[in-house]
Structures are given as structure tokens and as C-alpha cells.
Amino acid sequence: EPEVTQTPSHQVTQMGQEVILRCVPISNHLYFYWYRQILGQKVEFLVSFYNNEISEKSEIFDDQFSVERPDGSNFTLKIRSTKLEDSAMYFCASSRTLNTEAFFGQGTRLTVV
Amino acid sequence: QKEVEQNSGPLSVPEGAIASLNCTYSDRGSQSFFWYRQYSGKSPELIMSIYSNGDKEDGRFTAQLNKASQYVSLLIRDSQPSDSATYLCAVKTSGTYKYIFGTGTRLKVLA
């Protein structure tokens, strides 16, 4: 069964460093998303991506964040200068159409020290 | 006003009972509704989607949607200890490119 895959599963980084979280969405899906979940809190929307551009972003998704689809399969989230408060689980998701269900990857646990 | 509201729980039910999970949403333009299950430390796993008023059944799960009352529910029949998890309600509104999640309801099924 097709699934969304994310790498790495866990990343530890020093404050101020850049990190890139990687995702391979389901192959016939057209819409891609990044969400994050701080420990014990709700799943929060960061950004959505369609047709090689950002379609919507949240207030959280400020200038330190960027997304890219560098080739036909990968979808990446870059955090330019990490802060302690960026520590969270980051989930990539994809959906086939705009209003159908989204499927989530297993997540990347980012720890900023 | 919160966009998607759920009782955080925990909701405790005995094994074999019916668990009833509820969700309300604020945007009347919402058109797609989803239930996800999330085990501790894991990612959200899709259980069901529902798009029109009424009931939708899939195995032991039934989703119910009432757009007039802005209310979605999930019933789990014959609850098992393995159903113990946090259940997330998610809503998609027409014209937006995001799924909005509630805080989730923690379900405990007691053996």
C-alpha cells in the first residue's frame, strides 16, 4: 500500500543550525503539506504546496521556513536557523485532491539543543 | 472561537462497549471531515472520512455528520484495548488548502 515516507525519523541539531526534513509523498498525490506537533499539543498546520508553489501557509511559517520540491518525488522542509521552540514532531502529508483525505508520514522528531 | 473543538478526555470505556467521540466546528463552509487515530509518539492514521450528512459505517467505526449543527461524531463498537489512543477530528473548508485539527480526545478502553 502506498505511503508517505519521511527521513530522518529523529534529528538533533544545535540552536542556530539549518535542518532539512525530507518527505516522499504518495506518487499520484498532488497536494503536499507540512504539519508540526509540539509534545502534548495539537497538530498544527504549517504550509501546503500545489503545482510547485505554496498554496497556503500559517503564521508559524515565517521567513526561517521554506519548502521545496527539488525533483519529481521529494518534498522538503528547511528551517534556516533553528530555535529551541522549533523542537517538535514534523509530519509530512499528501492528498490526491484538494478535499479528500490526507495521509501522513511517520514523522521526524526534531530536537533543538 | 476555536475552529475545531473536541473534549480532551480521557474517555474511559470498558472492553466491548461503544465509545462515542464528538467534534464541533465553527466554519459553516467546511465540507470535508476526517477522523484520525494517533498513538503516543506516532503519526495520525486515517480512520474515516465523511462528506455528507448522515452516517457512514466502516467495520466497527461509524462516522456521523450533521452540518446544520456543525457536529461530527465517531462511534467505535465493540471497543478493544488496542483502540486506546487519541482520536483527532480534522476539517477541510472550501477554498482553503489546509486541514484543521482539533486537540483530540484520549480514549482508554479498559480490559
Side-chain angles (χ1 to χ4, degrees):
Chain A
E1 186 172 309
E3 59 180 16
V4 178
T5 56
Q6 291 185 242
T7 54
S9 55
H10 191 189
Q11 173 123 24
V12 181
T13 189
Q14 293 214 323
M15 193 168 50
Q17 294 297 303
E18 175 182 288
V19 295
I20 298 176
L21 310 183
R22 302 180 192 279
C23 169
V24 179
I26 295 173
S27 62
N28 65 345
H29 284 191
L30 301 177
Y31 297 84
F32 314 122
Y33 312 87
W34 284 101
Y35 282 79
R36 80 173 185 190
Q37 187 175 33
I38 295 170
L39 187 63
Q41 297 188 24
K42 66 187 288 187
V43 176
E44 297 178 291
F45 170 74
L46 291 178
V47 66
S48 56
F49 193 85
Y50 170 70
N51 201 26
N52 281 319
E53 60 182 26
I54 290 174
S55 43
E56 189 167 348
K57 59 184 181 179
S58 71
E59 292 177 354
I60 304 169
F61 194 87
D62 60 21
D63 291 345
Q64 70 164 333
F65 291 93
S66 62
V67 290
E68 194 176 36
R69 187 151 164 85
D71 54 43
S73 58
N74 291 284
F75 179 50
T76 62
L77 174 68
K78 181 191 289 186
I79 309 176
R80 259 179 279 281
S81 177
T82 50
K83 306 170 188 167
L84 294 176
E85 54 265 36
D86 294 328
S87 296
M89 279 287 279
Y90 287 80
F91 296 113
C92 175
S94 68
S95 64
R96 187 171 54 84
T97 70
L98 183 57
N99 293 308
T100 51
E101 53 270 342
F103 294 89
F104 283 73
Q106 79 278 20
T108 294
R109 180 173 298 284
L110 177 66
T111 304
V112 183
V113 297
Chain B
Q1 184 184 11
K2 290 183 182 176
E3 294 176 281
V4 179
E5 289 202 56
Q6 297 181 255
N7 188 318
S8 61
L11 171 67
S12 295
V13 300
E15 184 175 357
I18 295 175
S20 177
L21 304 160
N22 305 314
C23 170
T24 58
Y25 59 94
S26 60
D27 192 332
R28 287 198 170 272
S30 300
Q31 61 182 119
S32 306
F33 307 87
F34 310 92
W35 283 100
Y36 289 83
R37 177 173 61 196
Q38 187 177 32
Y39 293 111
S40 182
K42 303 295 185 182
S43 63
E45 174 191 7
L46 179 73
I47 300 174
M48 291 189 69
S49 56
I50 186 166
Y51 302 96
S52 54
N53 281 330
D55 294 0
K56 180 181 178 183
E57 188 174 317
D58 184 0
R60 295 188 296 114
F61 300 97
T62 299
Q64 299 173 317
L65 173 61
N66 183 327
K67 290 186 178 179
S69 301
Q70 296 176 243
Y71 177 89
V72 194
S73 66
L74 180 70
L75 300 178
I76 306 174
R77 286 181 299 282
D78 188 24
S79 296
Q80 301 297 309
S82 57
D83 294 326
S84 298
T86 297
Y87 287 80
L88 307 176
C89 173
V91 172
K92 191 84 173 7
T93 300
S94 175
T96 71
Y97 293 81
K98 63 185 179 186
Y99 301 79
I100 301 172
F101 283 80
T103 53
T105 298
R106 195 153 67 97
L107 173 67
K108 288 185 172 181
V109 181
L110 307 171

